[in-house]
Amino acid sequence: MPNNWSQLSRAWVKDFLPQPSAVSDESSSVIRQALQRTLPLLSEDPTSVPFVCRYRSDVINPLTTKQVHQLSDYIQKHDSLSSLRNKILEQLRKSDGDNSSTISRVETSVSKTELDDIYAPFKPPSKGSLEDRIQKEYPNLVSAVEELWANWGTSDVDSKLLKKLRPMDKAATLLANRIAADVDVMDALMDYCNRQCKVKIKQASNSGDKKKKTKNSKASSSSFETYHDYQNKVCLLRDHQVLAIRRGVDQKELRLSFDIEDCRADQIIRKAAFSNKQNHQLYREARKDAWTRLLRKRCTSRLWKEVSKRAEERSIHVFCDNLRKALLAPPATMTNQKAILSLDPGFQAGIKCAVLSNEGKVICLDTVKFMGRAKNRGKE
């Protein structure tokens, strides 16, 4: 973990604000300073959260215990990506141009997905891949496409460069790979997908096969009946809906698909990669190939993975809160001289029963078994 606490606190502060759009600059500054003070306490031993929350409240204030746990998770994620981060930083420092903003983004990132997107342009093509085969067959074409990609913002496609881009379909494939590896393009598409992408849920075709249906499969199919013909924006799905849809897909009871406007995606790619200036046929083919072959599946897979992960995390937090309330609930009041029967459920060991008097004294203890062999159940 680097000692640049100020840089990390500035980059992470937005994730610790309750409602970033409604928080003032002063409140944001207070949270950022608290993060900067807390980071050194957790950097050496991230498991020291209970100690820090109990005895260093003066340092972490106004951070809550939940936020300190979140900060500890960020530190562990940041440390786990150190090898990939160093590899990317080495490539960025070797490359030409001003990469200061990208370097700062790499140094503070806690997402492997984000780092993979930044590293994509520097990764060599996989052996036997489409790009690798084109490089072997047309070695000069690769350099021409690289020249085009490096200089597209300075001038239009001229006739000399177009002559080098032959065959045109292979050049479009290489250019599509460059578009798909561009971080700005991926960020713009993910932003659009998070706001506008829709899910379409249908009943899986094999779930209706009467010959293969069993009692369990019938019960499972009926439990997903709500989603047999369902569609909605991903951003409007509730956590329980996301988890239910994912269970249905895993059990092959539901079929999941995504609805994204191809024309709108093309406009986003054109604006992000070419600043809306270039509309040559080569660019149109490259944009279409990049979207249909690479970016569409990548965006939808990543979007659903992120939504599912958030739903899981929030469901765990809800379960923990409910369990905490149940365990910390006050004991039942004993009035009107009524006794209380307490049950501890169990299968093999049976159900432990205890009868308590109105004063809390144990009157009777017993075990009731409803499972197992008859001789083991006894008279119960």
Side-chain angles (χ1 to χ4, degrees):
M1 168 67 72
N3 293 327
N4 196 354
W5 315 124
S6 177
Q7 182 184 13
L8 293 177
S9 60
R10 283 197 303 270
W12 296 350
V13 66
K14 62 181 182 298
D15 297 331
F16 290 82
L17 300 177
Q19 293 180 351
S21 58
V23 175
S24 63
D25 294 339
E26 183 178 356
S27 301
S28 177
S29 177
V30 171
I31 297 295
R32 181 181 59 79
Q33 293 174 6
L35 293 175
Q36 188 172 342
R37 295 193 303 267
T38 310
L39 276 169
L41 301 178
L42 301 177
S43 60
E44 295 182 0
D45 184 12
T47 61
S48 60
V49 173
F51 176 84
V52 171
C53 294
R54 178 68 177 85
Y55 298 103
R56 302 306 303 271
S57 57
D58 57 324
V59 177
I60 67 174
N61 187 55
L63 297 180
T64 63
T65 302
K66 183 177 179 180
Q67 288 176 319
V68 177
H69 277 282
Q70 181 183 355
L71 183 60
S72 177
D73 292 338
Y74 271 42
I75 293 174
Q76 295 181 50
K77 291 178 181 178
H78 188 274
D79 290 345
S80 66
L81 298 172
S82 58
S83 59
L84 178 58
R85 181 180 296 104
N86 294 334
K87 190 187 299 183
I88 299 173
L89 291 174
E90 183 180 355
Q91 294 291 342
L92 287 173
R93 293 185 177 113
K94 288 181 182 178
S95 61
D96 299 330
D98 184 14
N99 296 320
S100 56
S101 60
T102 307
I103 291 175
S104 176
R105 185 176 174 182
V106 171
E107 290 177 341
T108 58
S109 177
V110 294
S111 170
K112 186 177 183 300
T113 303
E114 183 181 17
L115 293 180
D116 286 337
D117 286 343
I118 298 174
Y119 185 56
F122 304 104
K123 290 179 67 175
S126 303
K127 187 176 181 180
S129 63
L130 182 59
E131 184 174 353
D132 182 55
R133 295 197 301 269
I134 294 175
Q135 286 184 359
K136 292 179 180 178
E137 190 173 356
Y138 306 98
N140 296 329
L141 185 60
V142 177
S143 59
V145 171
E146 292 292 348
E147 181 182 355
L148 173 67
W149 182 252
N151 301 313
W152 64 264
T154 57
S155 61
D156 294 335
V157 180
D158 55 19
S159 57
K160 293 182 180 179
L161 193 54
L162 280 174
K163 291 180 181 178
K164 299 180 182 179
L165 300 176
R166 294 292 186 273
M168 189 71 75
D169 59 333
K170 304 298 183 184
T173 300
L174 293 175
L175 186 58
N177 291 348
R178 298 298 178 274
I179 294 172
D182 188 77
V183 180
D184 295 332
V185 172
M186 195 65 191
D187 288 346
L189 286 173
M190 286 303 299
D191 179 66
Y192 171 73
C193 290
N194 277 306
R195 291 182 289 105
Q196 300 297 333
C197 180
K198 293 182 180 180
V199 290
K200 290 186 175 181
I201 316 298
K202 298 288 184 181
Q203 184 180 11
S205 56
N206 59 348
S207 65
D209 191 348
K210 296 182 180 180
K211 295 181 180 179
K212 297 182 179 179
K213 270 197 170 184
T214 62
K215 293 182 179 180
N216 292 334
S217 64
K218 286 181 180 179
S220 177
S221 180
S222 62
S223 63
F224 299 110
E225 190 174 354
T226 307
Y227 303 102
H228 282 177
D229 188 13
Y230 179 83
Q231 62 177 346
N232 199 358
K233 285 186 177 180
V234 175
C235 61
L236 299 180
L237 291 176
R238 297 182 178 273
D239 294 339
H240 70 273
Q241 292 176 315
V242 174
L243 297 176
I245 292 171
R246 194 179 67 172
R247 286 197 304 273
V249 173
D250 292 341
Q251 297 176 19
K252 298 183 180 180
E253 295 290 340
L254 301 176
R255 187 176 71 253
L256 172 66
S257 61
F258 297 90
D259 182 20
I260 306 175
E261 296 182 10
D262 293 340
C263 58
R264 180 59 181 147
D266 182 75
Q267 293 173 2
I268 293 172
I269 296 173
R270 182 181 176 186
K271 182 178 180 180
F274 306 109
S275 302
N276 278 332
K277 295 180 181 179
Q278 307 289 357
N279 201 27
H280 188 273
Q281 180 183 357
L282 173 65
Y283 290 94
R284 292 196 297 270
E285 293 180 0
R287 292 199 305 267
K288 182 179 179 181
D289 183 37
W291 171 247
T292 57
R293 181 169 58 90
L294 300 169
L295 290 173
R296 182 184 180 87
K297 185 176 181 180
R298 188 184 302 173
C299 289
T300 54
S301 299
R302 183 175 302 179
L303 175 64
W304 188 246
K305 183 178 179 181
E306 291 176 355
V307 170
S308 300
K309 185 177 180 180
R310 288 197 298 267
E312 280 185 351
E313 291 176 350
R314 284 196 288 257
S315 65
I316 292 173
H317 288 312
V318 170
F319 174 78
C320 292
D321 291 340
N322 293 339
L323 180 62
R324 185 181 297 108
K325 292 177 182 178
L327 294 177
L328 296 179
T333 56
M334 301 178 182
T335 58
N336 300 326
Q337 304 297 322
K338 290 184 179 180
I340 292 180
L341 172 63
S342 302
L343 302 176
D344 180 14
F347 290 100
Q348 297 298 331
I351 301 175
K352 306 296 191 299
C353 306
V355 180
L356 306 178
S357 67
N358 62 330
E359 297 177 353
K361 296 180 179 180
V362 179
I363 300 176
C364 179
L365 296 175
D366 203 351
T367 302
V368 180
K369 294 184 179 181
F370 295 99
M371 299 182 65
R373 297 179 180 179
K375 64 178 182 179
N376 294 332
R377 292 200 299 264
K379 297 180 180 181
E380 289 85 350

